[in-house]
Amino acid sequence: MHAALARAAPSAAVIDLCADLPAFKPRAAAYLLPAYTAQAVPGDIVIAVVDPGVGGTRACVCLDADGVLYLGPDNGLLAIVARRARRTRAWALPVSPEASPSFHGRDVFAPAAALLSQGAIPPPWPAISVDSLERPAWPDDLAEIVYVDGYGNAVTGSRVSGLGLGLRAHVGSHALTLSRTFGDVAPGKPLLYVNSAGLLEIAVNGDSAARCLGLDVGTAVRFEA
Amino acid sequence: MHAALARAAPSAAVIDLCADLPAFKPRAAAYLLPAYTAQAVPGDIVIAVVDPGVGGTRACVCLDADGVLYLGPDNGLLAIVARRARRTRAWALPVSPEASPSFHGRDVFAPAAALLSQGAIPPPWPAISVDSLERPAWPDDLAEIVYVDGYGNAVTGSRVSGLGLGLRAHVGSHALTLSRTFGDVAPGKPLLYVNSAGLLEIAVNGDSAARCLGLDVGTAVRFEA
Amino acid sequence: MHAALARAAPSAAVIDLCADLPAFKPRAAAYLLPAYTAQAVPGDIVIAVVDPGVGGTRACVCLDADGVLYLGPDNGLLAIVARRARRTRAWALPVSPEASPSFHGRDVFAPAAALLSQGAIPPPWPAISVDSLERPAWPDDLAEIVYVDGYGNAVTGSRVSGLGLGLRAHVGSHALTLSRTFGDVAPGKPLLYVNSAGLLEIAVNGDSAARCLGLDVGTAVRFEA
């Protein structure tokens, strides 16, 4: 359950996003995906797989969101990307009878990305209505922890826009004010900041916020403007 | 202790198998290796290193198994690959006096793979008898957990062939029937399935089988046809 | 907090050092860096980031140490590399106002490395005195655990030179004599050896030294010649 970004032909390149998406939780990952791919340009190809329903009835799709091509399961993972895009198109990916029912990343999405990277745009798959894709009733920003990185920093699914500079976050019994970077608070103290992908994130200067504050994917955060 | 696969010249490519082999346990890894490299074609080069005896008396070898070239320690790690191949040859790798006695992956196997990838096939090393390689009295399929992946899925060293479709697995006090994929059982319930590498694997839908069922590398599984 | 090594143009190559540097601890990482990059040759580019002060007052610098170009924060991380080099030069890296204050690895060091890899040597940045870089009063060798790898092997910041062959290490209540490789002691027993990067390392044959001996980054080791 990983996201990878490739640049389409002729200057094919693969950019490793250096971040696993949270396992089993398409809703949490749905808010990371547009943040992680904010710098993608038209023609870029993104494979995103958080896919607990792999091999079941959910479809495999390609979503063109403002020219960036996303490949993934139709389980809501692409819903926030689709909602924020100005122009969208979609296609249904073929699933070979030989595909492993437990590993569509290898047998469906990767071959589809390979085809796109060879310049097959628009792709030769059946076009489907973007309105037919999964559109869960999820909020525009998610006030929850959606990812904990290797340092124990805890990323929320919320952007700062509209929340304002006097912003505070409440998590458990902690109230955090908005800082710029780790060293703006004393070592061992928690902070709230806008991370490098544009999401509000909770960290502890020089330590693990997840451990110090008891945070995990799904922990609720209350923002106060 | 990692396996990497390279395609020999002129179209050199490296395929990252995306899976660490289990540390310290050549026997467990020996059953993963043929599964992970099932799609390798003649001329492909596989470096496989699970090598607790590195720097000791065990030899460093190159095994040609139906045209796929395996480089690794002669401690049984290559024994199941050799047993299943139709045509085999072997060579003894030179070990430079300058090689680190604790890191033959870097100083012996990787340079040997580089030489092979430049087209040196057959390689310029002393040929040895395949019968002289380590041939432990291990079963053809191993009814044990041989690997636990990042999601907590537990891979066994057994293939489904010959076991039949009414197959059940017993592990601890759990009896699991054969399913196709995760969603075939309710969330939180365990399942047995044939994984994407052809091995029988135990998972829990949406959770970690290792944690839920107390599985680890070496845990015995009893299959009942 | 990772180190990556690239070879400058025209034969650009990236070598993944396969080792994260210890998080939050520039002093520990400072002793790993010259060991990990001992085989770098003039023109090679090393990005090294252990940077708890990112976005604060510490500078971003480029250090030329005997022709190898290191990019990193000026927080002591490069101090041991600089101390051991025969010829050094340094430059101050520009930090764009658009750079994320929490991710200079992406927005400062990586673009600088890209520029160097295109042949911009000497780089077009303001030259600064190497004497003006952070020079903490750290010892030439550090008798502490500076890194624990994925197997639980515990690397110290000390080289063997000058310590002699009758060397012993004391850690907690354990006294370890110098061995050549893992198999020189019985399974489950601890050993001291010179690792493949030239640093003294503590391991347990077939098990995790960190767990068996209670070692972590920062644990003191006493060497006795």
Side-chain angles (χ1 to χ4, degrees):
Chain A
M1 307 200 179
H2 204 84
L5 187 146
R7 197 137 285 171
S11 59
V14 172
I15 300 172
D16 194 331
L17 291 179
C18 292
D20 284 308
L21 296 171
F24 308 131
K25 297 187 167 72
R27 189 176 78 139
Y31 292 88
L32 284 170
L33 197 54
Y36 282 175
T37 59
Q39 301 187 45
V41 298
D44 283 353
I45 303 160
V46 177
I47 299 177
V49 186
V50 178
D51 200 9
V54 60
T57 56
R58 65 98 190 88
C60 295
V61 299
C62 175
L63 171 72
D64 174 346
D66 295 328
V68 177
L69 298 155
Y70 292 81
L71 300 160
D74 185 27
N75 60 7
L77 177 59
L78 306 180
I80 304 301
V81 164
R83 194 187 296 180
R84 294 182 187 169
R86 289 178 303 277
R87 295 182 317 281
T88 53
R89 292 185 293 176
W91 298 267
L93 295 182
V95 178
S96 159
E98 276 89 50
S100 163
S102 60
F103 196 2
H104 284 184
R106 181 189 70 183
D107 293 345
V108 177
F109 301 117
L115 189 67
L116 293 175
S117 74
Q118 288 164 0
I121 300 174
W125 307 313
I128 56 176
S129 162
V130 174
D131 289 345
S132 74
L133 298 181
E134 278 294 311
R135 294 194 294 178
W138 296 341
D140 285 343
D141 288 87
L142 186 64
E144 283 182 18
I145 303 305
V146 296
Y147 183 68
V148 175
D149 75 13
Y151 304 107
N153 300 326
V155 184
T156 77
S158 292
R159 299 161 295 178
V160 75
S161 55
L163 289 169
L165 291 180
L167 184 64
R168 292 161 67 90
H170 299 267
V171 59
S173 61
H174 300 268
L176 311 174
T177 53
L178 191 63
S179 298
R180 217 178 121 267
T181 188
F182 312 106
D184 291 351
V185 301
K189 294 296 181 187
L191 68 147
L192 172 71
Y193 66 110
V194 181
N195 78 7
S196 60
L199 293 173
L200 287 159
E201 182 166 323
I202 295 169
V204 165
N205 185 8
D207 209 329
S208 162
R211 194 175 48 73
C212 294
L213 308 181
L215 309 178
D216 203 352
V217 173
T219 302
V221 180
R222 184 167 62 83
F223 293 109
E224 184 186 12
Chain B
M1 308 201 177
H2 204 83
L5 186 148
R7 196 138 286 169
S11 59
V14 172
I15 301 173
D16 194 330
L17 291 180
C18 291
D20 284 309
L21 296 171
F24 309 132
K25 297 188 168 70
R27 189 177 76 139
Y31 292 87
L32 284 170
L33 198 53
Y36 282 176
T37 59
Q39 301 188 46
V41 298
D44 284 353
I45 303 160
V46 177
I47 300 177
V49 187
V50 178
D51 200 8
V54 60
T57 56
R58 65 98 191 91
C60 295
V61 298
C62 175
L63 171 73
D64 174 345
D66 294 328
V68 177
L69 298 155
Y70 291 82
L71 300 159
D74 184 27
N75 61 5
L77 177 59
L78 306 180
I80 303 301
V81 164
R83 194 187 296 179
R84 294 182 187 169
R86 288 179 302 278
R87 295 182 318 280
T88 54
R89 293 186 292 177
W91 298 266
L93 296 181
V95 178
S96 158
E98 276 90 50
S100 162
S102 60
F103 197 1
H104 283 184
R106 181 189 71 184
D107 294 344
V108 177
F109 301 117
L115 189 66
L116 293 176
S117 74
Q118 289 162 0
I121 300 173
W125 307 313
I128 56 175
S129 162
V130 173
D131 289 345
S132 74
L133 299 182
E134 278 295 312
R135 294 193 294 179
W138 296 342
D140 285 342
D141 288 87
L142 187 64
E144 281 184 18
I145 304 303
V146 296
Y147 182 68
V148 174
D149 74 15
Y151 304 107
N153 301 325
V155 184
T156 77
S158 291
R159 299 161 295 177
V160 75
S161 55
L163 289 169
L165 291 180
L167 183 63
R168 292 160 67 90
H170 299 267
V171 58
S173 61
H174 300 269
L176 312 174
T177 52
L178 191 63
S179 298
R180 216 179 121 267
T181 188
F182 311 108
D184 291 351
V185 301
K189 294 296 181 186
L191 67 147
L192 172 71
Y193 66 111
V194 181
N195 77 8
S196 60
L199 293 173
L200 286 159
E201 182 166 323
I202 295 169
V204 165
N205 184 9
D207 210 329
S208 162
R211 194 174 48 73
C212 294
L213 308 182
L215 309 178
D216 203 352
V217 173
T219 302
V221 179
R222 183 166 62 82
F223 292 109
E224 184 186 12
Chain C
M1 307 200 179
H2 204 85
L5 186 147
R7 196 138 285 171
S11 60
V14 172
I15 300 172
D16 194 331
L17 291 179
C18 292
D20 285 308
L21 296 172
F24 309 131
K25 298 189 166 71
R27 189 176 76 139
Y31 292 88
L32 284 170
L33 199 53
Y36 282 176
T37 59
Q39 301 187 45
V41 298
D44 283 352
I45 303 160
V46 177
I47 300 178
V49 187
V50 178
D51 199 9
V54 59
T57 55
R58 65 96 191 90
C60 295
V61 298
C62 176
L63 171 73
D64 174 346
D66 295 327
V68 177
L69 298 155
Y70 292 82
L71 300 160
D74 184 27
N75 61 6
L77 177 59
L78 306 180
I80 303 301
V81 164
R83 194 187 295 179
R84 294 182 187 169
R86 287 179 304 276
R87 295 183 317 280
T88 53
R89 293 184 293 177
W91 297 267
L93 295 182
V95 178
S96 158
E98 276 89 50
S100 162
S102 60
F103 196 1
H104 284 186
R106 181 189 71 183
D107 293 345
V108 177
F109 301 117
L115 189 67
L116 292 176
S117 74
Q118 289 163 359
I121 301 174
W125 307 313
I128 56 177
S129 162
V130 174
D131 289 344
S132 73
L133 298 182
E134 279 295 311
R135 293 193 296 178
W138 295 341
D140 286 343
D141 288 87
L142 186 64
E144 282 182 17
I145 303 304
V146 296
Y147 182 67
V148 175
D149 73 15
Y151 304 106
N153 300 326
V155 183
T156 78
S158 291
R159 300 161 295 177
V160 75
S161 55
L163 288 169
L165 290 180
L167 183 63
R168 291 160 69 89
H170 300 267
V171 57
S173 61
H174 300 268
L176 311 174
T177 52
L178 191 63
S179 298
R180 217 179 121 266
T181 188
F182 311 107
D184 291 350
V185 302
K189 294 296 181 187
L191 67 146
L192 172 72
Y193 66 111
V194 181
N195 77 9
S196 60
L199 293 173
L200 287 158
E201 182 166 323
I202 295 169
V204 165
N205 184 10
D207 210 329
S208 162
R211 192 174 49 72
C212 294
L213 308 182
L215 309 178
D216 203 350
V217 173
T219 302
V221 179
R222 184 167 61 82
F223 292 109
E224 183 186 12

